[in-house]
Amino acid sequence: MRHGSFGSVTFRKIFLSYTVILIIPIIVFSSLNVQRNIMEERQRLHDKHISDANRIAVVVDDKLQELKKLGKRLSEESWVRKMMQNTDVYENEFDFLKMLEIRRNFENSINSLNILSFGMIVFPEKGQVFTSWGAFTEDDFFSNVAVFDNETRQQLESAMLDQQYFKVLPPETMRLWGNSKHVIPVFQSLEVVNQPRGVLVLFIDSAYFEDYMHRFGSIESTDILITTQGQAIYRQTQAGLSGGEQGGQHSYELVVPSLESDLKYKISYLDNSVIGINNLFSSLLAILISAAVGALTAFLLAKISYRPLGALLNKLSAALRYDDVKSSLSSGSEYNYIEQSFDRLLLENEKLQRSMQDYEKAAKSNLFQRLLKGYFTDEQQMNGLKKMGIGYTDEMYYCTVLISFHALRDVSDFCQIRKIEMMTLVIVEKVMERYGLDYELFEVTHADKALILSSEDVFGQEGIMEQIVLSITEEIEQACDFHPYVLSGTVEKGLVGISKSYYAANESLQYILFSRDHLPDLQEEAVQTIVEYYYPTDWEVQLINNLKIGNLDTSIQILHEISAENGKRCLSEASTIRLVSLLMETILRVLHELNLDTGIYVKQFAAKAEGADAGEMWSYMYEVVTLICERNRYSNSMMTIETGSQLLQYVNENYTSADVSLKQLAEIYQMSVSKVSKIFKEVTGINFYDYLCRLRMERAKELLRERKCGIDDIAHRVGYENVYSFKRAFIRYEGIKPDEYVDIAM
């Protein structure tokens, strides 16, 4: 799909986009160049205003710090501490002259700050007030000396009872000795406790404070506002100016928090930056030159950007039909090609995902079918369970429940069947949640649904399984107006127990179905021909397959499980002999299929059968199974011999290394440790560690006879990390100590 770049709609759009993108910065740059001087001047003024605002804040904070120091100094005075005690110390410790001196010193401290109207120390527990005029009771002082309105007085008394490190209140109006005053109360606790016994209350005279601010405040600001708790305590405005706009000029506000209290300083300044445009001609010329350069740059960038897109389109066009390509060309955008390609990829990926899910579902269902038929575990099979996310182990307990819809007469009503199946899923989940058991529900051949219950603890006592079966039956019948057959097997331990439980439930189901259809028409004698022994066809098939591949462990396990299960059934002697005879017939059939002579085995088993001793018949059958598996294993061991030779060669060449082990061999040859051990024993006839130690001992004896190095050195040379391990191994294999062997060798 090749065509000229300029003929491409996408290329033209890219070119125009780059052109616009490059011209916009040119315009912005020109504007910024004009505004640069304005911003620099504005920043300079702003920095100056910030410095001025911080200076104003420092001026007020310095005065607040002096107030704090006064409170700290008074809290350290001995007379203040004594007065805070719950005793009357005025008459006992302070005489008249001493009190005059204390009052004079207190008054001098108040007056030295130059902004206070007066101050007092309140002792809330005693209800007393100490001032430079003397000591008063609270009621007497606030009624005759410093008179506030009732609301203000309540606020002051409430503030005295709480711990106040340093708190400034909004301005209040009072009458002091009959004269009206506008003051700012300041509270400072003289003790660091929740309810201090002494509180210093200072009243800043608003007139003094205003004079102080006029002397040390700012001459550049238009407005100074000091607030506490959102309320103004001081405001200073330049004559003829106010906030907002002054003479067409805008003002802005700086807020500086106090470092000494909760005050906030809001200072307003005029924005005096001058707006102008310099070098207009130079700016216009720069715009024209930059536009030409930008257009050329945009063209080059468009070519570079379109190149990978064109390469991608050429690759994707092969995946589209000609009609799709033609349709996309007519639409005028290459992105239609990409959209169609990715739509197709997403559709194919979705199909692949559905296929994988269907495969996993089928594989899981197949695995559950195998569990029902008899899952005789080995390492590979256990890995299969883990891969499918099935956490079953041989230490868990299981029970199989079959749910059959055979009682449904009209099997052509698919809507009803679908409804029953959906309701079964919901009901089983609800019942299992009620009893707290893990479960897996899937379809089976002989019934409609199979339910495997599992738990790490034994369950089924006190008729729980009967209750579960009854609950599922009744709820399905109530929801679907249909009575299903729900049958449970026995609760068994181990994975093979799933199969045992399944066959027990299946036997009950088949008997019910047989009884429903045929039992009324049969004679009583015919009913008595039910088979007593336990020998499932699926187990027989697995026994045959394992015998053919020489899997001795699994074959013995199958026979053992058959023997154990039939032992639970307390078979009669005739039934036991019949069972063993059927098993032997299966084994003889395997011998015949392997082209082995079965005559001798038939004669020997017949001799055992004549004695009617089931124990001897079982023992002989185990011997024949062992012989078959051993023969098949060695007959199929060419690859085993080759691998064993490689293992043997590696050990012979590296036996003096301390790192040689079954684990190392398993990692090198990518096998399990158990498999390496098994192959090594098949090839050498002895186990791995006996063979390794024998090689090391023979080499050690050679070195001991040469007498060229010590025992410690010999131990390390033959692969032992310490001499103690070497001596112990030498005694075990040679019967004497290494130094005794040296003496004998001489």
Side-chain angles (χ1 to χ4, degrees):
M1 187 180 64
R2 298 181 179 276
H3 49 275
S5 298
F6 282 105
S8 168
V9 176
T10 302
F11 179 82
R12 291 196 297 271
K13 289 181 178 179
I14 294 175
F15 174 68
L16 291 175
S17 299
Y18 277 126
T19 302
V20 173
I21 291 172
L22 291 174
I23 288 177
I24 290 176
I26 292 172
I27 298 174
V28 172
F29 174 77
S30 301
S31 302
L32 291 176
N33 188 46
V34 172
Q35 297 293 328
R36 182 179 57 187
N37 293 332
I38 299 174
M39 296 302 297
E40 289 178 355
E41 178 66 18
R42 182 173 295 171
Q43 185 63 40
R44 186 186 66 79
L45 288 174
H46 183 69
D47 293 342
K48 183 179 179 181
H49 292 161
I50 290 177
S51 176
D52 185 67
N54 290 331
R55 184 185 62 79
I56 294 173
V58 170
V59 166
V60 180
D61 282 354
D62 288 345
K63 186 58 65 175
L64 295 179
Q65 191 174 20
E66 291 180 10
L67 299 181
K68 285 185 179 181
K69 290 181 179 179
L70 173 61
K72 183 177 181 181
R73 187 170 67 251
L74 288 174
S75 66
E76 295 174 353
E77 292 286 344
S78 60
W79 64 271
V80 174
R81 292 182 177 276
K82 291 180 180 180
M83 285 184 179
M84 286 192 295
Q85 296 176 2
N86 294 324
T87 57
D88 191 359
V89 297
Y90 296 102
E91 298 179 356
N92 299 332
E93 297 190 30
F94 301 120
D95 55 15
F96 179 75
L97 294 176
K98 182 64 175 177
M99 289 301 299
L100 285 177
E101 181 182 357
I102 291 173
R103 286 164 52 190
R104 186 166 52 251
N105 292 336
F106 183 70
E107 182 179 11
N108 292 336
S109 299
I110 296 297
N111 294 334
S112 65
L113 297 176
N114 298 324
I115 63 171
L116 298 178
S117 176
F118 74 99
M120 62 182 181
I121 300 177
V122 181
F123 304 96
E125 292 184 357
K126 295 181 177 181
Q128 295 180 346
V129 178
F130 176 82
T131 68
S132 59
W133 304 302
F136 304 86
T137 63
E138 285 188 17
D139 291 337
D140 185 33
F141 183 80
F142 288 113
S143 299
N144 301 317
V145 180
V147 181
F148 296 88
D149 58 59
N150 292 333
E151 183 179 356
T152 303
R153 180 176 175 180
Q154 291 178 1
Q155 292 178 354
L156 294 177
E157 291 177 349
S158 175
M160 294 174 191
L161 297 177
D162 297 330
Q163 198 278 337
Q164 308 288 348
Y165 174 67
F166 190 81
K167 184 176 182 180
V168 181
L169 297 183
E172 301 290 349
T173 301
M174 61 175 283
R175 294 188 63 81
L176 182 64
W177 298 111
N179 297 321
S180 179
K181 288 279 188 177
H182 196 62
V183 295
I184 303 171
V186 179
F187 286 81
Q188 186 174 0
S189 299
L190 299 180
E191 281 187 313
V192 187
V193 293
N194 291 332
Q195 294 182 345
R197 293 176 295 176
V199 180
L200 174 63
V201 185
L202 303 174
F203 294 92
I204 299 176
D205 194 307
S206 296
Y208 295 163
F209 187 72
E210 183 176 355
D211 180 67
Y212 177 78
M213 289 300 298
H214 277 294
R215 285 187 290 116
F216 298 103
S218 172
I219 61 174
E220 296 186 4
S221 62
T222 62
D223 192 22
I224 301 175
L225 177 64
I226 303 176
T227 62
T228 178
Q229 301 177 4
Q231 300 186 31
I233 64 171
Y234 172 77
R235 184 160 195 162
Q236 174 182 322
T237 303
Q238 295 289 348
L241 299 176
S242 61
E245 298 184 4
Q246 292 82 18
Q249 293 181 326
H250 295 277
S251 64
Y252 67 96
E253 187 178 79
L254 294 177
V255 179
V256 181
S258 173
L259 300 178
E260 301 294 335
S261 68
D262 58 354
L263 296 182
K264 287 187 178 179
Y265 310 104
K266 299 180 180 179
I267 302 98
S268 299
Y269 295 94
L270 289 177
D271 187 359
N272 293 321
S273 56
V274 179
I275 300 177
I277 301 177
N278 299 322
N279 300 323
L280 179 60
F281 177 77
S282 300
S283 299
L284 292 175
L285 182 61
I287 290 174
L288 294 176
I289 295 174
S290 300
V293 174
L296 179 60
T297 305
F299 177 78
L300 295 176
L301 290 174
K303 292 287 288 184
I304 295 172
S305 300
Y306 187 77
R307 184 177 300 170
L309 178 61
L312 177 62
L313 291 172
N314 289 330
K315 292 182 179 180
L316 292 177
S317 61
L320 295 173
R321 297 191 302 271
Y322 175 75
D323 293 339
D324 296 333
V325 176
K326 185 177 179 180
S327 174
S328 298
L329 284 171
S330 63
S331 65
S333 176
E334 290 90 334
Y335 291 107
N336 290 332
Y337 304 145
I338 299 176
E339 183 178 358
Q340 291 176 10
S341 298
F342 276 100
D343 286 343
R344 178 170 295 181
L345 290 175
L346 290 174
L347 181 60
E348 292 177 354
N349 181 66
E350 185 179 351
K351 291 180 180 178
L352 180 60
Q353 292 292 335
R354 285 199 299 265
S355 299
M356 289 296 296
Q357 291 175 0
D358 292 341
Y359 169 77
E360 291 179 359
K361 183 178 180 181
K364 195 170 185 180
S365 178
N366 181 60
L367 196 53
F368 283 125
Q369 296 283 356
R370 290 179 57 193
L371 288 171
L372 295 181
K373 293 179 180 179
Y375 202 81
F376 298 94
T377 59
D378 57 21
E379 185 175 350
Q380 183 177 0
Q381 291 174 328
M382 291 302 294
N383 290 335
L385 288 175
K386 294 178 181 178
K387 289 179 180 179
M388 298 306 299
I390 303 173
Y392 288 173
T393 65
D394 267 331
E395 301 302 320
M396 297 174 64
Y397 294 86
Y398 307 92
C399 181
T400 304
V401 178
L402 296 181
I403 304 174
S404 173
F405 305 144
H406 283 85
L408 186 64
R409 296 299 181 183
D410 187 6
V411 295
S412 62
D413 190 351
F414 295 105
C415 293
Q416 184 182 3
I417 294 175
R418 184 60 180 167
K419 176 185 177 182
I420 294 173
E421 290 180 346
M422 294 302 297
M423 290 306 302
T424 300
L425 294 176
V426 175
I427 290 170
V428 167
E429 181 178 1
K430 183 172 65 175
V431 172
M432 290 303 103
E433 183 177 356
R434 188 187 309 158
Y435 287 93
L437 294 174
D438 296 328
Y439 73 95
E440 293 289 348
L441 182 65
F442 53 95
E443 295 182 357
V444 290
T445 304
H446 299 296
D448 291 280
K449 300 289 183 182
L451 184 66
I452 299 179
L453 311 183
S454 60
S455 175
E456 294 184 356
D457 301 319
V458 64
F459 62 95
Q461 306 93 329
E462 300 178 356
I464 291 179
M465 290 310 304
E466 289 77 5
Q467 297 174 19
I468 291 175
V469 168
L470 183 60
S471 298
I472 295 175
T473 304
E474 290 180 348
E475 294 189 25
I476 293 177
E477 184 174 7
Q478 183 179 0
C480 304
D481 194 20
F482 163 74
H483 182 79
Y485 298 135
V486 183
L487 300 162
S488 69
T490 56
V491 177
E492 302 284 349
K493 182 179 181 181
L495 292 173
V496 179
I498 298 175
S499 178
K500 296 178 182 179
S501 182
Y502 163 70
Y503 282 115
N506 190 48
E507 285 179 3
S508 300
L509 175 61
Q510 297 305 319
Y511 181 78
I512 289 176
L513 297 178
F514 180 81
S515 301
R516 184 192 67 179
D517 297 332
H518 305 288
L519 191 57
D521 302 329
L522 297 178
Q523 298 296 325
E524 183 177 356
E525 293 79 8
V527 180
Q528 300 300 324
T529 60
I530 299 175
V531 178
E532 296 179 356
Y533 55 80
Y534 182 82
Y535 185 28
T537 304
D538 294 322
W539 288 29
E540 181 183 14
V541 173
Q542 292 190 67
L543 176 60
I544 293 172
N545 292 334
N546 282 279
L547 288 173
K548 288 182 178 179
I549 64 175
N551 193 340
L552 178 60
D553 293 339
T554 305
S555 299
I556 296 298
Q557 184 186 3
I558 294 173
L559 293 176
H560 175 73
E561 293 293 345
I562 293 174
S563 175
E565 184 62 24
N566 282 281
K568 296 178 182 178
R569 299 193 173 202
C570 300
L571 299 181
S572 64
E573 184 177 356
S575 296
T576 303
I577 293 175
R578 176 58 181 161
L579 170 64
V580 180
S581 299
L582 288 175
L583 288 169
M584 192 62 193
E585 288 179 7
T586 302
I587 296 170
L588 292 174
R589 189 162 64 250
V590 173
L591 288 170
H592 180 72
E593 292 178 3
L594 295 175
N595 297 321
L596 299 176
D597 184 13
T598 60
I600 186 172
Y601 300 108
V602 172
K603 293 179 181 179
Q604 292 179 355
F605 183 77
K608 301 289 183 182
E610 289 178 359
D613 189 340
E616 291 188 4
M617 295 170 68
W618 276 104
S619 298
Y620 180 74
M621 186 171 55
Y622 279 120
E623 292 178 8
V624 176
V625 167
T626 304
L627 290 173
I628 294 174
C629 291
E630 291 293 334
R631 176 180 174 81
N632 289 341
R633 184 179 62 180
Y634 284 110
S635 63
N636 298 320
S637 60
M638 291 303 296
M639 184 177 296
T640 301
I641 293 174
E642 182 179 355
T643 305
S645 299
Q646 295 177 1
L647 294 173
L648 189 61
Q649 181 180 357
Y650 182 88
V651 174
N652 289 337
E653 293 174 355
N654 300 277
Y655 70 91
T656 57
S657 173
D659 296 329
V660 175
S661 64
L662 285 173
K663 183 178 180 182
Q664 183 193 47
L665 292 174
E667 293 175 353
I668 294 174
Y669 291 93
Q670 297 182 354
M671 294 185 293
S672 64
V673 174
S674 60
K675 187 172 182 180
V676 171
S677 177
K678 185 177 180 181
I679 293 176
F680 197 93
K681 186 173 182 180
E682 289 179 3
V683 174
T684 62
I686 61 175
N687 64 50
F688 169 80
Y689 287 104
D690 286 340
Y691 184 86
L692 180 64
C693 288
R694 176 52 57 193
L695 290 177
R696 289 175 172 176
M697 292 303 103
E698 292 300 325
R699 178 57 181 160
K701 288 192 292 184
E702 292 178 6
L703 295 174
L704 287 171
R705 289 194 296 267
E706 292 175 359
R707 302 188 63 184
K708 292 182 179 180
C709 50
I711 294 178
D712 291 349
D713 189 21
I714 292 173
H716 288 92
R717 281 192 176 191
V718 297
Y720 288 92
E721 293 182 349
N722 56 74
V723 69
Y724 175 76
S725 299
F726 167 71
K727 288 182 178 180
R728 187 174 59 182
F730 194 94
I731 294 173
R732 185 169 66 250
Y733 280 88
E734 300 299 329
I736 58 176
K737 297 180 180 179
D739 50 357
E740 294 176 353
Y741 179 85
V742 173
D743 295 336
I744 294 175
M746 292 178 59

